[in-house]
Amino acid sequence: MSKKRRSIKYQHIIQFVLLLAIIIFANILAAIFFTRFDLTDDNRYTVSKPTIELLRSIKEPVLFKVYLDGDMPASYKHLRNETKELLQEFKAYNNKNILFEFIDPNSEPNRERRNNLHKQLLNKGLMPRNISTKDKGKVSNQVIFPGAIVTHKGKELPMAIFKNQLGKQEPEIINNSIQQLEYTIASTLKSITTDKKRSVAFTYGHGELRGIRTAWAQYALSQFYQVDFVKLDGNGHRLFNIDPKDSVTFKIKYDALIIAKPDSFFQKKDQFLLDQYIMHGGKVLWLIDPVYASLDFLQDTNAMLAYRLDLNLNEQLFHYGVKLNTDLIRDLNSIYLPLNVQPAGSQPKFDWFPWPFSPLLTPKSDHPIVKNVSDIKTEFISSIDTVELPGVKKTILLSTSKQSRRDRTPVPIDMRMMLEEQNKRLYSDAYIPVAVLLEGRFNSFFKNRFTPRDADNDLIALEESKPTKMIVVADGDVIKNQSRKDEQGQIVPLPLGFDQFSGVQFGNDDFLLNAVNYLLDDSGLLEARKKEFRMRPLDKQKINDPPTVFIYKIVNVLVPILLIVIMAIVVLLLKKRRYAL
């Protein structure tokens, strides 16, 4: 009996030593060969390879101060928890340099200091959100800041976590915000840790949008890129770095160009420079109005005639794969404008009416440029047709709603049209394309043509482009911000996409950033926007049925206890049988 007990004792010691050795060996392997396993059905915790490479390339600490903590509704707590889990996941790939803390912006009991903190966060670029909570029949309002301030080497950047979307319920908005978390955090990381930014230039010289009208677009892009302005005047030295001794080897000066709503004729020299810019791998965001119509002019005069705008670009764009139509689109899914309904001389009274010439574009595509982007506000937009070209891939990014129509130019427009009841039978055109992405190799527009070059340009014309991309939108106003006068009488820009008439923030800013990010994304970070987490909502009928809720509570409370008791009994019986004399 004594020998049997000693044998059992030795067996336990050997088992313990072997288990300890296995644990130590497994930890050594884990330290050498890092890997993680995602067992979720929708790969919720699988970080994309470009993001992993970015995380491992960070050499200096990055601090995330996330102002999403404290007493909040359950949906926002879910967003906070997902954000924390993803940051922990990021930290696993770079434990030393990824730092984060969660802060409750409403924890300060002193009201004045709490308001000062809120003002500081607002000035730093974090947008507040007012939410209403109901507790025991009482409704209370609360201000939260669903975002973070990211700090790296003395530089700060705001990061919005909550991505608002018009027309969607809060649970869906929260879920879509969670889907975008990896891209949101990774793109902010790339922006704040990149010392040498890529360059984006707004063109001018042909009446393009400038100054206060694109101030917010410039500001938003400057967070990620070096923003500049370049005049198109036939001088190739403005777009290219040309060595006068070696005109064969030259490079483009800017990684991307934004041509925002030109209103005057492009000469052949400028067409040639733009063409060769594309041939040398340059990216272009074309924001072109083929029809002249102005809401500012219309609000002053109440009536105008919209007419075809000859920019001398239609043939060139057709050669690249798109045809801009000289029409105006009306859509029943549109913005609302205030209109004075009182006669002249009376006290003004404004009512809201739909303005069908300003369609709201609801993104339907799963492309990362527009996926989960809120409705995009437009003004006097036209339609686009695509042309079949070998080697060029075309993707429709934005379309109208299923109830829209086209008006061929010239189009008489009157503000009093808002008072007319719209005949829905006339809105029979569905999903008219208005924005197209082109990718691939393009043939030069000047292939087998005379090239209008100046002697000082010294450009060697290419007949086929390097692999490149361009986006064509048939409306320049998508990147035009509104403005207002501040308390000192100074004109200040409003956020891009913000409508001061309705107080609604549309998705124009996200569309612009996503478009430029995609054109210049050589790291593949935008692939993270393709993630899709399936919502698994509870059955509302069942959770509102008291007997069903009671049964589920009993099952959730008693079943785990019963399982533990059963397992304990089984273990005791096995031990009793094993050590029985």
Side-chain angles (χ1 to χ4, degrees):
M1 188 65 63
S2 178
K3 289 181 180 180
K4 185 177 180 180
R5 288 179 177 175
R6 282 198 298 271
S7 176
I8 294 172
K9 182 179 179 180
Y10 291 144
Q11 288 178 14
H12 288 173
I13 293 173
I14 293 170
Q15 290 174 1
F16 175 76
V17 171
L18 286 174
L19 180 62
L20 185 62
I22 291 171
I23 293 173
I24 294 173
F25 183 68
N27 277 273
I28 293 172
L29 288 179
I32 299 173
F33 305 103
F34 174 78
T35 187
R36 298 172 74 81
F37 298 97
D38 185 357
L39 302 180
T40 57
D41 181 47
D42 47 16
N43 296 321
R44 184 174 293 250
Y45 303 108
T46 298
V47 180
S48 63
K49 289 183 179 180
T51 302
I52 294 173
E53 292 173 1
L54 171 65
L55 290 167
R56 288 173 173 167
S57 68
I58 297 173
K59 305 302 181 184
E60 299 287 338
V62 180
L63 174 62
F64 292 82
K65 288 187 176 181
V66 186
Y67 292 90
L68 188 62
D69 206 358
D71 186 20
M72 299 176 294
S75 57
Y76 289 93
K77 289 182 179 178
H78 178 48
L79 178 60
R80 175 201 61 193
N81 295 338
E82 292 288 343
T83 304
K84 185 176 292 186
E85 288 180 4
L86 186 58
L87 285 171
Q88 289 171 343
E89 192 78 10
F90 279 19
K91 190 173 178 63
Y93 291 99
N94 194 333
N95 182 63
K96 182 180 178 181
N97 294 318
I98 301 297
L99 310 172
F100 62 88
E101 61 176 310
F102 281 73
I103 302 168
D104 180 5
N106 297 307
S107 62
E108 173 59 55
N110 184 282
R111 183 175 181 178
E112 184 177 351
R113 286 198 290 265
R114 184 171 66 249
N115 289 339
N116 287 337
L117 174 62
H118 290 181
K119 289 180 181 178
Q120 290 176 19
L121 296 177
L122 185 60
N123 292 334
K124 288 182 178 181
L126 284 190
M127 299 303 294
R129 182 167 177 80
N130 293 311
I131 56 175
S132 298
T133 56
K134 189 174 182 181
D135 184 23
K136 297 180 180 179
K138 294 183 179 180
V139 178
S140 59
N141 294 320
Q142 183 182 3
V143 177
I144 65 171
F145 288 82
I149 299 296
V150 187
T151 307
H152 174 70
K153 296 169 64 173
K155 180 183 176 182
E156 287 186 344
L157 271 184
M159 183 183 75
I161 295 173
F162 183 87
K163 305 292 185 179
N164 195 17
Q165 292 176 275
L166 295 175
K168 294 190 176 181
Q169 298 298 319
E170 191 169 270
E172 189 176 0
I173 297 175
I174 293 289
N175 187 68
N176 291 339
S177 299
I178 293 170
Q179 288 180 176
Q180 298 181 55
L181 269 177
E182 181 184 336
Y183 173 71
T184 299
I185 300 174
S187 60
T188 305
L189 273 173
K190 184 177 181 182
S191 173
I192 203 168
T193 57
T194 302
D195 295 326
K196 186 178 180 180
K197 295 182 178 180
R198 306 194 73 178
S199 56
V200 176
F202 288 82
T203 65
Y204 70 97
H206 298 83
E208 293 93 330
L209 295 176
R210 290 187 70 193
I212 194 70
R213 296 183 295 176
T214 58
W216 199 269
Q218 298 165 35
Y219 166 76
L221 289 171
S222 67
Q223 304 298 313
F224 298 89
Y225 307 102
Q226 180 68 39
V227 178
D228 206 344
F229 296 87
V230 59
K231 185 176 183 179
L232 295 180
D233 58 358
N235 187 349
H237 292 271
R238 299 192 187 279
L239 289 181
F240 300 91
N241 290 313
I242 305 173
D243 185 352
K245 297 180 181 179
D246 182 11
S247 60
V248 177
T249 57
F250 57 92
K251 295 182 179 180
I252 56 177
K253 284 186 176 181
Y254 306 103
D255 297 299
L257 294 180
I258 298 178
I259 304 175
K261 198 178 180 179
D263 62 9
S264 59
F265 194 86
F266 278 70
Q267 299 294 334
K268 287 290 183 182
K269 295 176 183 178
D270 292 329
Q271 284 186 287
F272 174 71
L273 291 178
L274 288 173
D275 178 78
Q276 287 305 300
Y277 173 82
I278 294 169
M279 294 305 106
H280 285 81
K283 317 304 194 293
V284 182
L285 175 57
W286 303 85
L287 305 166
I288 307 297
D289 280 6
V291 174
Y292 176 77
S294 169
L295 185 58
D296 294 334
F297 179 82
L298 190 61
Q299 289 175 327
D300 290 336
T301 61
N302 288 327
M304 69 173 296
L305 183 69
Y307 56 87
R308 176 180 177 270
L309 196 59
D310 185 11
L311 301 175
N312 198 30
L313 290 176
N314 284 359
E315 187 180 355
Q316 186 171 1
L317 290 173
F318 184 87
H319 185 83
Y320 297 146
V322 295
K323 179 179 181 293
L324 291 176
N325 298 312
T326 54
D327 56 19
L328 281 182
I329 293 176
R330 294 197 228 181
D331 200 319
L332 293 183
N333 181 33
S334 63
I335 67 170
Y336 279 69
L337 291 179
L339 183 67
N340 183 17
V341 295
Q342 294 296 326
S346 304
Q347 183 71 23
K349 180 184 177 182
F350 291 91
D351 283 340
W352 292 88
F353 298 93
W355 180 240
F357 285 105
S358 288
L360 288 178
L361 307 178
T362 303
K364 303 292 185 183
S365 171
D366 284 335
H367 195 278
I369 292 178
V370 293
K371 184 176 181 180
N372 294 329
V373 171
S374 189
D375 287 0
I376 296 166
K377 181 169 70 76
T378 65
E379 288 181 16
F380 300 114
I381 196 166
S382 301
S383 65
I384 292 179
D385 291 330
T386 58
V387 182
E388 189 65 33
L389 288 179
V392 177
K393 177 185 176 184
K394 290 169 281 293
T395 305
I396 304 299
L397 296 177
L398 295 172
S399 303
T400 61
S401 75
K402 62 182 179 180
Q403 291 183 299
S404 51
R405 58 179 285 189
R406 313 177 199 218
D407 290 339
R408 299 294 178 183
T409 53
V411 182
I413 305 174
D414 195 308
M415 293 296 288
R416 288 170 294 184
M417 289 179 173
M418 290 193 291
L419 300 175
E420 302 172 0
E421 185 176 354
Q422 301 297 320
N423 186 349
K424 294 184 179 181
R425 288 182 298 177
L426 298 177
Y427 290 80
S428 57
D429 287 341
Y431 309 117
I432 303 171
V434 294
V436 180
L437 166 68
L438 306 173
E439 301 174 277
R441 292 181 179 270
F442 300 87
N443 288 322
S444 171
F445 178 58
F446 287 88
K447 184 178 180 179
N448 301 323
R449 299 188 185 198
F450 290 108
T451 56
R453 291 177 286 165
D454 284 343
D456 63 339
N457 282 338
D458 297 323
L459 293 177
I460 303 299
L462 298 181
E463 294 187 345
E464 185 182 47
S465 77
K466 300 176 182 179
T468 187
K469 313 170 190 174
M470 64 177 81
I471 296 173
V472 183
V473 184
D475 179 27
D477 293 309
V478 292
I479 69 161
K480 183 180 76 171
N481 56 256
Q482 296 178 354
S483 58
R484 65 173 178 83
K485 287 187 177 181
D486 62 11
E487 297 175 354
Q488 287 75 36
Q490 299 292 323
I491 298 178
V492 295
L494 294 172
L496 177 59
F498 180 77
D499 180 39
Q500 61 183 331
F501 300 117
S502 62
V504 175
Q505 175 68 49
F506 294 98
N508 299 52
D509 53 346
D510 285 335
F511 173 72
L512 172 64
L513 284 174
N514 291 345
V516 178
N517 286 349
Y518 186 83
L519 291 177
L520 298 182
D521 184 32
D522 55 359
S523 63
L525 287 181
L526 264 173
E527 289 299 310
R529 285 182 58 84
K530 291 184 177 180
K531 280 191 173 182
E532 186 169 357
F533 302 154
R534 288 180 290 278
M535 296 181 65
R536 297 175 176 87
L538 297 173
D539 189 323
K540 291 185 177 181
Q541 291 184 346
K542 289 184 178 180
I543 63 176
N544 291 325
D545 181 33
T548 305
V549 173
F550 178 75
I551 292 172
Y552 278 106
K553 286 182 178 179
I554 293 295
V555 169
N556 279 293
V557 172
L558 293 183
V559 169
I561 296 174
L562 288 174
L563 287 174
I564 293 172
V565 171
I566 292 170
M567 289 175 63
I569 293 173
V570 171
V571 170
L572 287 173
L573 291 175
L574 289 174
K575 282 188 175 182
K576 185 176 180 181
R577 180 178 179 182
R578 185 173 183 179
Y579 297 109
L581 296 176

